[in-house]
Amino acid sequence: MTIQIYHIKRFALACATAVALTSCLKDKPFPLFPNQESAKVNYTFAATADTLQEKTYTTFLSANGNYFVQNNSGNTNYNYWPQAHTLDVFTDGYLRTKNEIYKQRMKSLLNGTYKTNGNKYENEYYDDMEWLALASLRAYDATKDADYLAAAKTLWADIKTGKNSNQGGGIAWRKSQPTYKNTPANAPAIIFAARLYQLEKNAADLDLAKELYTWLKGTLLDGSGIIWDGINSKGDGQLDKNKFTYNQGVFIGAGLELYNATGDATYLNDAIKTADATIKDLDIAPGGLLRNEGQGDGGLFKGILVRYLTLLTLKNDVPQAKRDAYVNFLKFNAETLFAKGISRPDFMVSPDWKSAPSGSTDLTTQISGVTTVEAAATLKAAGKF
């Protein structure tokens, strides 16, 4: 993500459908209308995911077919990091349906990203590359197409050059600013390194994941379990104490993947503590609903949290009471988005999940919604909803 967009994101935090939520929601921990009965809704998450996938593809695909454009109102700009999350939702669709069309779209996007990025995968921002590396590794796991693994490993080689001793360790946010470290550039790297280790059993990858985790936890984790955004962005050595939803998500993911790789319960307990703090935090989720973080980069944040909280929710090693709480939280957010935050019949997504979209919809905002509905379909298929 460009520095201009990123700083807008950092400081600018802020259905047309007639259906309402089921009356039974008044008994759930996160009621939309605590004092009001409402008509029954059929939450067809899988079918809605199908429609969202198709509408997203046809609405946002660039004229040359190589990438997905900035918004649905004529801005055709290319932004690198949402392409990775678009690849992720295509992978979600493929895993859910096994429909070959998703495999075609996945491969086309990988190749198109390479072309549009100047015939290379690498770029200036380490976090951007980590998102594409993660999406490519997932695509490889789903399809066994070696091109995805090659892309992921090309990116990983470049990402590792971002590690330095400034601020005591960690990977820099971008190549031209080696003294600024943040959660977005470190937690996804931990997730990737731990997953690559599980695939290839290269001890160096696990060692780096542990090293980065020790730095991140020791530098940016609050005692409450909330993970802060970064350190030294202004060159003053100070913490950036911003509570962004996606930072919580990737720290949860980092702990979970290190637990998967090592069996060390300390990592899982860290993930649980952050998840518990996140769903109760009144800034992150006022009333139990993930807040509106605007469009632009912020439009993607909620979906990233949902992705990694869903993985934690599906982990049987997590105590049942904790999983139940996460299910209730995710269910409330997905049902709210389904009933109130998606316009029909165009199936565009709002940055505010309790209100229909108004005006233009950014790709980032749309992908966050698709991610969330795909996660809901996964949880429903697993018998959690």
Side-chain angles (χ1 to χ4, degrees):
M1 63 189 85
T2 65
I3 187 168
Q4 293 91 347
I5 293 174
Y6 185 79
H7 283 295
I8 290 170
K9 172 265 289 183
R10 288 163 59 86
F11 297 110
L13 294 176
C15 70
T17 179
V19 296
L21 296 179
T22 65
S23 59
C24 65
L25 276 178
K26 64 186 176 63
D27 299 320
K28 298 295 176 63
F30 307 109
L32 272 180
F33 307 109
N35 300 313
Q36 180 177 330
E37 294 291 327
S38 51
K40 184 175 177 58
V41 173
N42 182 17
Y43 293 104
T44 53
F45 289 120
T48 300
D50 289 338
T51 304
L52 281 167
Q53 288 271 11
E54 194 61 28
K55 293 289 190 179
T56 299
Y57 182 81
T58 57
T59 301
F60 291 91
L61 185 66
S62 64
N64 65 9
N66 285 335
Y67 69 97
F68 291 84
V69 301
Q70 184 164 320
N71 65 32
N72 67 341
S73 58
N75 188 326
T76 61
N77 284 349
Y78 168 77
N79 191 0
Y80 181 107
W81 85 293
Q83 311 304 316
H85 295 276
T86 304
L87 177 57
D88 252 340
V89 298
F90 290 166
T91 303
D92 293 337
Y94 176 67
L95 290 171
R96 179 173 53 82
T97 67
K98 302 303 181 186
N99 189 328
E100 292 289 316
I101 192 66
Y102 289 111
K103 285 178 69 175
Q104 295 173 26
R105 291 173 181 179
M106 291 159 65
K107 192 61 175 286
S108 179
L109 180 52
L110 180 74
N111 293 335
T113 296
Y114 181 85
K115 293 173 185 175
T116 310
N117 193 52
N119 293 318
K120 65 183 187 303
Y121 293 119
E122 302 92 335
N123 85 350
E124 161 75 2
Y125 297 87
Y126 291 108
D127 60 336
D128 283 12
M129 292 191 288
E130 289 159 15
W131 291 120
L132 184 57
L134 279 169
S136 297
L137 194 61
R138 274 193 80 222
Y140 172 74
D141 187 57
T143 66
K144 305 308 177 189
D145 183 333
D147 288 349
Y148 293 112
L149 183 59
K153 293 176 83 168
T154 295
L155 286 159
W156 185 227
D158 198 40
I159 290 162
K160 289 186 287 186
T161 67
K163 185 174 78 73
N164 62 51
S165 61
N166 294 315
Q167 314 311 317
I171 290 177
W173 174 48
R174 61 176 180 156
K175 293 174 180 177
S176 60
Q177 197 177 2
T179 61
Y180 171 45
K181 307 292 179 64
N182 62 13
T183 299
N186 284 273
I190 296 163
I191 297 169
F192 179 86
R195 288 179 176 174
L196 189 61
Y197 168 76
Q198 291 171 77
L199 176 68
E200 297 190 329
K201 302 303 182 192
N202 182 343
D205 292 322
L206 182 59
D207 289 345
L208 181 54
K210 290 178 177 178
E211 177 188 341
L212 294 174
Y213 188 89
T214 298
W215 176 84
L216 182 60
K217 180 179 176 180
T219 307
L220 295 178
L221 187 67
D222 182 71
S224 68
I226 294 295
I227 190 85
W228 301 123
D229 191 42
I231 185 170
N232 202 46
S233 64
K234 302 178 183 67
D236 57 5
Q238 297 301 303
L239 294 177
D240 300 309
K241 291 191 173 183
N242 301 307
K243 293 180 183 177
F244 295 130
T245 55
Y246 84 131
N247 283 340
Q248 315 316 310
V250 290
F251 188 73
I252 289 166
L256 176 60
E257 289 302 334
L258 272 172
Y259 173 71
N260 290 339
T262 67
D264 184 342
T266 301
Y267 296 120
L268 184 62
N269 290 335
D270 286 347
I272 290 169
K273 184 174 182 179
T274 294
D276 289 350
T278 298
I279 68 172
K280 296 172 184 174
D281 191 283
L282 297 180
D283 294 322
I284 292 172
L289 185 68
L290 290 167
R291 73 168 180 234
N292 179 1
E293 288 170 290
Q295 297 209 75
D297 285 343
L300 247 172
F301 293 174
K302 294 194 289 291
I304 294 170
L305 170 59
V306 167
R307 179 175 297 284
Y308 290 101
L309 183 58
T310 297
L311 292 176
L312 187 67
T313 301
L314 291 169
K315 190 70 178 179
N316 287 335
D317 295 356
V318 175
Q320 185 66 53
K322 301 289 188 183
R323 282 184 280 145
D324 289 346
Y326 307 152
V327 164
N328 285 335
F329 180 84
L330 290 166
K331 187 171 187 284
F332 175 67
N333 275 270
E335 289 182 348
T336 304
L337 171 62
F338 183 102
K340 301 175 79 67
I342 300 172
S343 60
R344 293 168 172 86
D346 63 341
F347 282 80
M348 292 294 104
V349 174
S350 172
D352 180 357
W353 288 355
K354 65 181 183 299
S355 303
S358 175
S360 179
T361 296
D362 284 353
L363 174 66
T364 49
T365 304
Q366 184 75 9
I367 293 300
S368 194
V370 182
T371 301
T372 299
V373 174
E374 284 284 5
T378 297
L379 289 165
K380 189 168 183 177
K384 305 300 182 183
F385 283 8

